[in-house]
Amino acid sequence: VKIPYNVKEIKKYAFRNCNSLTSIRIPDYVTTIYENAFRNCKNLESVEIGSGITTIPATVFMNCEKLSAVLIPESVTSIDVTAFNNCPNVTIYGYKDSYAQQFAEENSINFAVIPEYEIGDVDLSGIVDIRDATLIQSYSVALKELSDYQLSLADVNGDGAVNVADATEIQRILV
């Protein structure tokens, strides 16, 4: 599912019972998710929540039995205790000392720290190499999509845009 740019909210029951949904990335421009939005999505396995979200409401992922990975950004400062009811294998991925970590620990939910990556490490491999430049080029011609986090790492020259100039900068540094 690709959420269009003009969508700012994911309403109640928007994806409820959507059994064909296996993963979703909620972009930074979405600012609100309402309760039960993804309830009973039996095959939902992974969710990446964008930095526009500050609150994860009640029963939003309830009964998503295959949900195993939820990436929660530092912008989230409130998670309802029922958000992950009947999600037995969920792991929350977040930043060290974040609200997501506190919530996970207080509610006996698995937590994994998202490692900090170097600018240019777009493929999140731990090193900046030609594969990162190639990934930026593929994104520039709309062959690949990048998460918001990857886009932040891809703006190598810091001009606010991700394009071939960033790939060229990586290549120049590698030479």
Side-chain angles (χ1 to χ4, degrees):
V1 172
K2 183 168 177 144
I3 298 175
Y5 186 73
N6 62 341
V7 173
K8 304 297 181 211
E9 301 177 333
I10 299 177
K11 297 289 189 178
K12 287 182 183 180
Y13 306 112
F15 292 93
R16 182 178 171 205
N17 298 323
C18 184
N19 291 327
S20 61
L21 184 65
T22 58
S23 69
I24 190 159
R25 183 171 75 83
I26 301 168
D28 290 345
Y29 50 81
V30 174
T31 58
T32 307
I33 304 171
Y34 289 94
E35 60 270 4
N36 297 305
F38 297 95
R39 186 174 183 158
N40 300 333
C41 291
K42 299 291 186 194
N43 294 308
L44 183 61
E45 296 174 6
S46 66
V47 177
E48 181 181 343
I49 298 173
S51 63
I53 301 298
T54 58
T55 299
I56 299 176
T59 61
V60 67
F61 298 108
M62 185 173 190
N63 298 327
C64 294
E65 297 166 359
K66 290 186 180 179
L67 187 59
S68 61
V70 179
L71 189 147
I72 299 178
E74 289 183 294
S75 61
V76 172
T77 56
S78 174
I79 303 172
D80 188 277
V81 71
T82 65
F84 301 102
N85 275 6
N86 199 26
C87 299
N89 299 310
V90 70
T91 297
I92 292 175
Y93 291 81
Y95 294 95
K96 183 172 175 45
D97 300 323
S98 66
Y99 180 79
Q101 181 177 12
Q102 177 187 336
F103 173 83
E105 290 170 356
E106 288 174 357
N107 292 281
S108 301
I109 296 174
N110 294 327
F111 182 82
V113 174
I114 299 171
E116 298 284 334
Y117 290 96
E118 180 181 357
I119 295 295
D121 187 9
V122 183
D123 67 357
L124 309 176
S125 66
I127 58 169
V128 178
D129 60 18
I130 196 65
R131 292 175 295 192
D132 299 299
T134 303
L135 190 54
I136 292 170
Q137 290 169 330
S138 296
Y139 170 79
S140 296
V141 294
L143 291 176
K144 294 277 185 182
E145 290 213 18
L146 299 176
S147 71
D148 294 329
Y149 184 61
Q150 287 175 298
L151 287 170
S152 71
L153 296 173
D155 185 14
V156 177
N157 62 13
D159 67 356
V162 175
N163 53 39
V164 174
D166 297 297
T168 302
E169 184 65 18
I170 290 175
Q171 293 168 336
R172 187 186 68 72
I173 292 167
L174 290 175
V175 171

